[in-house]
């Protein structure tokens, strides 16, 4: 199961990048004060977006692809 753990770590890393991009976009559009007020929602949005674009569309996540794991 080390591959599963490694895939999960990679997915967390990529999801964090998407979350950071969402946070930057939200801060640019609405300002820092509003972005701080909605930081939990932005984090949820970023993680949901990552998994929606990968698993939700029937593709492997980037972590699964990196570790060559197939979903069943």
């Amino acid at each position: 199961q080390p591959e599963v753990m490694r895939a999960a770590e990679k997915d967390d890393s990529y999801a964090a990048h998407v979350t950071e991009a969402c946070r930057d976009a939200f801060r640019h559009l609405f300002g820092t004060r509003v972005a701080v007020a909605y930081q939990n929602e932005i984090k949820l949005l970023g993680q949901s977006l990552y998994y929606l674009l990968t698993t939700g569309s029937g593709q492997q996540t980037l972590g699964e692809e990196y570790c060559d794991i197939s979903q069943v």
Side-chain angles (χ1 to χ4, degrees), residues 21-71:
C22 289
R23 185 176 297 126
D24 289 343
F26 200 85
R27 184 176 27 234
H28 179 73
L29 290 172
F30 301 107
T32 304
R33 190 175 307 238
V34 176
V36 169
Y38 289 99
Q39 63 186 354
N40 291 333
E41 289 82 359
I42 294 170
K43 182 177 180 180
L44 178 63
L45 172 68
Q47 290 177 344
S48 299
L49 187 60
Y50 173 75
Y51 286 106
L52 180 69
L53 291 173
T54 55
T55 305
S57 64
Q59 302 292 321
Q60 289 178 309
T61 65
L62 296 173
E64 291 169 344
E65 186 177 308
Y66 175 77
C67 295
D68 199 29
I69 296 173
S70 298
Q71 294 180 5

